[in-house]
Every structure is written in structure tokens, then in C-alpha cells.
Amino acid sequence: MSQGFGGQVPAPHVQAKHREVTTYLVVIAAPEGPIAKLLLPDREQVAELDANTEEVTAMIMDRVPTVGAAGAEWDRLFAAYSVEERATAKIYTLEA
């Protein structure tokens, strides 16, 4: 008698390709409060969260930000933000 008890055994797990490591964390002002955006090296956004969380605090601990996201490389991501908001954005590089 089979030990499967009538149930089909699941197929072996196939691991999909992992996404790249998050490189940037940008904290920018928003009407609801500051938000943090996690970005890939090509500046594609992969997550957005409240910048006042413990997770964000832990990620930026002992890191010095670059202030201002006014360059052309940030245009696609921050097109909806004002010049003032972009000028005060804090950009943290998360590479080890």
C-alpha cells in the first residue's frame, strides 16, 4: 500500500531568479509624513514604507545620507514631487 494516502506528492520546488540587492533607501517628505523608498541599483522602486519605522531606522543607522534628488537620474522616480521635496530628500546607499 502507498504511503501517499491518496494525495499526490507535490512537484519539487524550483527556485526562481532572485531580484538584485537593494542599493538605495530614499527618505522623502510626503503630506502624510516622511516615506522611505527602497531602490535597486537602476533606481527601480521595490518597496515603500513609513520612514518612522524601526526597520528604516535600523537600515540607516551609522550611514551618512546624500541630500537632494535633483539630478536627472531621479526624474523618473520623483516626477510627482515638488522641487523643494526633491531638494530635501535623503539618499542612503545600503551597499555593505
Side-chain angles (χ1 to χ4, degrees), residues 35-70:
I35 57 172
K37 295 177 180 274
L38 292 170
L39 312 172
L40 296 177
D42 64 356
R43 292 178 175 80
E44 175 187 348
Q45 181 176 324
V46 293
E48 181 175 296
L49 56 150
D50 182 356
N52 295 320
T53 62
E54 289 179 37
E55 291 85 357
V56 173
T57 303
M59 284 188 275
I60 63 176
M61 189 180 303
D62 299 327
R63 297 186 189 272
V64 179
T66 302
V67 179

Side-chain angles (χ1 to χ4, degrees), residues 8-94:
Q8 186 176 8
V9 177
H13 179 75
V14 177
Q15 180 64 50
K17 180 183 174 197
H18 293 283
R19 68 173 167 81
E20 295 181 60
V21 175
T22 304
T23 304
Y24 301 105
L25 184 146
V26 179
V27 177
I28 191 164
E32 316 80 44
I35 57 172
K37 295 177 180 274
L38 292 170
L39 312 172
L40 296 177
D42 64 356
R43 292 178 175 80
E44 175 187 348
Q45 181 176 324
V46 293
E48 181 175 296
L49 56 150
D50 182 356
N52 295 320
T53 62
E54 289 179 37
E55 291 85 357
V56 173
T57 303
M59 284 188 275
I60 63 176
M61 189 180 303
D62 299 327
R63 297 186 189 272
V64 179
T66 302
V67 179
E73 67 273 16
W74 301 104
D75 287 346
R76 181 174 49 94
L77 183 65
F78 295 120
Y81 291 87
S82 70
V83 173
E84 294 81 17
E85 290 169 327
R86 287 179 64 167
T88 60
K90 295 178 182 172
I91 303 162
Y92 296 89
T93 302
L94 301 176

